[in-house]
Amino acid sequence: MLALLLLLSAESPAMAETLRGMVKAVHDGDTVVLVGRGTGRVTLRLYGVDAPETRKPDKPGQPFGSQAKRVLMFKVLGKEVTAEVQDRDQYGRAVGVLLLAGRDINAEMVSEGMAWAYRQFLHGPYASRYIQLEEQARRQRRGFWRDSNPQPPWEFRRGQKRRR
């Protein structure tokens, strides 16, 4: 019984991995590259948020995709950050909450209308906060909420897959 309890507690979110490093690159509005002593180079997908898609050489982007990337770059590029890893995604990326001097950067992106609360993958204590921030950004018409009906990135990606 004790062994089972130890195994379960080792997998609990309270035991989440914490990464520290400098942001060396920003791929888009929800993905950065950290480089740190002991951690090496880590691609981090921001947990619980989904930013508009940026244009790629072989794929179109969404309105506000490049702005979301620039906002995230301005906030964190070249700065020392902490990431509280919540999970790993299908591509092997760490998925976590990005913190800069105690500020929740994921929450800021949602609050500024630069990312949606990604309800499909949002759980626990962050869920209600990020959803509340998204609703507030929508009411105040911040960022992409200035558009009458912005398309969430997951719908945009689904539409792109159908076109191929």
Side-chain angles (χ1 to χ4, degrees):
M1 183 66 162
L2 180 59
L4 179 61
L5 287 173
L6 288 173
L7 180 63
L8 290 174
S9 66
E11 294 179 7
S12 73
M15 302 289 286
E17 178 184 8
T18 300
L19 304 173
R20 287 178 179 74
M22 181 177 287
V23 176
K24 290 292 186 175
V26 175
H27 289 189
D28 54 31
D30 55 33
T31 309
V32 300
V33 176
L34 301 179
V35 176
R37 197 175 306 169
T39 59
R41 185 179 180 90
V42 177
T43 300
L44 179 79
R45 170 76 166 74
L46 301 188
Y47 171 77
V49 305
D50 201 4
E53 294 296 317
T54 56
R55 187 173 174 272
K56 307 284 191 288
D58 58 336
K59 296 178 185 174
Q62 284 184 267
F64 289 92
S66 59
Q67 286 112 314
K69 178 181 178 178
R70 281 195 307 272
V71 166
L72 187 56
M73 285 175 70
F74 179 75
K75 289 177 181 295
V76 299
L77 188 62
K79 298 179 181 163
E80 291 288 331
V81 297
T82 302
E84 295 176 352
V85 178
Q86 307 294 312
D87 202 356
R88 297 274 170 182
D89 70 10
Q90 69 218 34
Y91 308 108
R93 298 177 298 189
V95 179
V97 178
L98 189 61
L99 302 169
L100 174 66
R103 294 173 23 220
D104 180 340
I105 299 301
N106 306 32
E108 288 183 13
M109 293 297 286
V110 172
S111 178
E112 294 170 18
M114 291 292 127
W116 275 260
Y118 204 178
R119 289 163 172 80
Q120 179 182 353
F121 298 105
L122 188 55
H123 308 286
Y126 296 101
S128 59
R129 180 159 184 246
Y130 290 2
I131 291 167
Q132 180 181 27
L133 290 170
E134 178 186 291
E135 291 169 353
Q136 186 176 39
R138 180 182 302 166
R139 279 193 309 275
Q140 295 177 355
R141 301 183 60 76
R142 290 191 209 131
F144 52 70
W145 295 112
R146 284 179 262 172
D147 285 356
S148 60
N149 191 21
Q151 183 182 34
W154 54 90
E155 289 179 9
F156 178 80
R157 289 189 296 267
R158 198 175 318 127
Q160 292 301 304
K161 283 180 185 175
R162 283 189 202 124
R163 287 190 183 103
R164 284 187 216 154

